[in-house]
Amino acid sequence: MHKIISIANQKGGVGKTTTAINLAAGLAAEGQRVLLVDADPQANASSGLGIDIRDLNKTIYECLISDLDPAEAILPTAVERLSVLPSHIDLVGAEIEMLNLSEREQRMKKVFERLDDNYDYILIDCSPSLGLITVNALTASNSIIIPVQCEFFALEGIAKLLNTVKIIKSQLNPDLQIEGFLLTMYDSRLRLSNQVYEEVKRHFGKLVFDTVIARNVRLSEAPSHGMSVITYDPLSKGAQNYVQLAKELLQR
């Protein structure tokens, strides 16, 4: 039985897609069968793993709107045991199109119910919003990972996200759990990074992952080559951080 984890934060630029790509690759490197679902119209998780998104006509959009069998849209990647259900810019209009559909918050859950049990983990890269697609992702998930960047205003907006999680738990998905808060863009030389780390730890305690994702230029470079950082530079700090995160998630 696969575990479904959304990677979400309505704040942009916190490392959601970087985490989705590299945690997926890290889990695959640990022997897990992983499906990365790109639920962001920007489709960066798809292109970041070498998928040419320009000519796709079978994506998560068609699965949600036209009831396409997800098996027809899933693509392999260069990473062994890692597949992608890609996105497309059309997903921008999906929220409006879904308004008139029955059980509109459950569409993604029904997509996943059609999958064969070929995966140990399904990771969903959510868009930086709390719209209907993100609500769909959280309704379909067992848990949520919340990336938090080690910068000023790091906790801004977290209360709104946690309130959304609370509403979804009460109305749509009572089993939804917080898997953990993941600190990203950490620079041990900066006092601010350490202050944010302490503040997040103080607020959320054991819900904070022990693994911290350090600032690393290789993490920024890897997507432009269509690779995870674990493939691009396995000895880099970024690759080591995400392999460690994968191990910590498996131990949980």
Side-chain angles (χ1 to χ4, degrees), residues 8 16 56 64 75 90 100 102 116 122 132 154 158-159 167 169 173 187 199 212 222 227 229 236 238:
K16 277 190 301 296
L56 293 179
L64 291 169
L75 298 170
D90 288 350
N100 297 321
S102 61
D116 294 329
I122 297 174
L132 189 52
I158 295 268
I167 291 166
K169 272 180 74 88
N173 181 7
D187 187 338
E199 189 176 2
V212 173
M227 298 180 191
V229 73
S236 66

Side-chain angles (χ1 to χ4, degrees), residues 6-18:
S6 281
I7 299 167
N9 188 334
Q10 80 273 21
K11 202 168 187 289
V14 299
K16 277 190 301 296
T17 300
T18 300

Side-chain angles (χ1 to χ4, degrees), residues 46-176:
S46 305
S47 58
L49 279 168
I51 306 293
D52 186 349
I53 60 174
R54 290 170 295 184
D55 300 321
L56 293 179
N57 55 16
K58 292 180 178 179
T59 68
I60 183 71
Y61 169 82
E62 284 77 22
C63 296
L64 291 169
I65 301 300
S66 307
D67 293 321
L68 177 73
D69 185 340
E72 292 186 41
I74 290 169
L75 298 170
T77 70
V79 179
E80 192 179 354
R81 293 181 293 274
L82 173 57
S83 302
V84 174
L85 179 50
S87 184
H88 192 273
I89 190 65
D90 288 350
L91 197 60
V92 166
E95 300 206 347
I96 295 168
E97 293 175 67
M98 287 165 67
L99 287 175
N100 297 321
L101 298 177
S102 61
E103 297 183 302
R104 61 191 181 199
E105 297 91 355
Q106 313 273 354
R107 302 288 294 184
M108 197 176 293
K109 184 178 181 182
K110 292 192 184 318
V111 170
F112 295 158
E113 285 171 356
R114 298 176 70 183
L115 288 171
D116 294 329
D117 203 17
N118 292 336
Y119 306 101
D120 301 304
Y121 282 87
I122 297 174
L123 301 185
I124 310 171
D125 181 31
C126 297
S127 64
S129 76
L130 293 177
L132 189 52
I133 301 291
T134 299
V135 168
N136 261 265
L138 295 176
T139 301
S141 294
N142 303 113
S143 62
I144 174 175
I145 290 174
I146 303 171
V148 180
Q149 87 283 31
C150 290
E151 293 176 1
F152 201 57
F153 297 135
L155 294 176
E156 192 180 63
I158 295 268
K160 194 173 179 183
L161 176 60
L162 293 179
N163 191 50
T164 300
V165 170
K166 187 177 174 184
I167 291 166
I168 287 169
K169 272 180 74 88
S170 66
Q171 297 182 13
L172 295 164
N173 181 7
D175 298 324
L176 181 64

